[in-house]
Amino acid sequence: MNSRKLLHAAPALLSAAVVFGFGMGAASGNGSADEVRRACNSCHSLKRVCALLGERTEAGWDLSIRNMVARGALVTTGNIKPMARYLAGVEQDDPALCD
């Protein structure tokens, strides 16, 4: 790509970087209890989530999160797997999530 084309592409590339960065920055992607609480509790009680802790696999949580995203949950694509991994590793009634 020559410098002229790069110069014309720069605004679009910068915009994409900003949007992508803000989208990923809204939740850090580490699958923390705070992220799960924010995403899940916006539509339903965490009791629904806590009742399934220790029973559902990471693949099961991944499918559930994708289903909730399809219904409007505010989770970025990059945060689905970390959240599923977190939920699969949390014990039922974990005080960090289920208070």
Side-chain angles (χ1 to χ4, degrees):
M1 181 179 264
N2 68 30
S3 60
R4 180 173 284 210
K5 288 182 182 177
L6 185 58
L7 185 60
H8 288 289
L13 293 171
L14 181 59
S15 296
V18 168
V19 169
F20 180 76
F22 284 136
M24 294 305 287
S28 65
N30 66 2
S32 71
D34 288 340
E35 290 176 36
V36 171
R37 185 176 282 116
R38 176 197 54 79
C40 301
N41 209 25
S42 65
C43 295
H44 57 72
S45 166
L46 286 176
K47 289 180 184 179
R48 294 177 75 174
V49 175
C50 294
L52 296 169
L53 293 175
E55 296 179 16
R56 190 169 280 178
T57 65
E58 184 176 334
W61 281 114
D62 187 278
L63 185 61
S64 292
I65 295 167
R66 289 179 190 282
N67 185 329
M68 294 300 111
V69 168
R71 294 171 184 229
L74 299 177
V75 178
T76 62
T77 304
N79 286 339
I80 294 172
K81 287 203 180 296
M83 289 175 71
R85 190 174 311 118
Y86 170 79
L87 288 166
V90 175
E91 298 293 324
Q92 196 163 24
D93 297 324
D94 186 289
L97 186 60
C98 308
D99 43 4

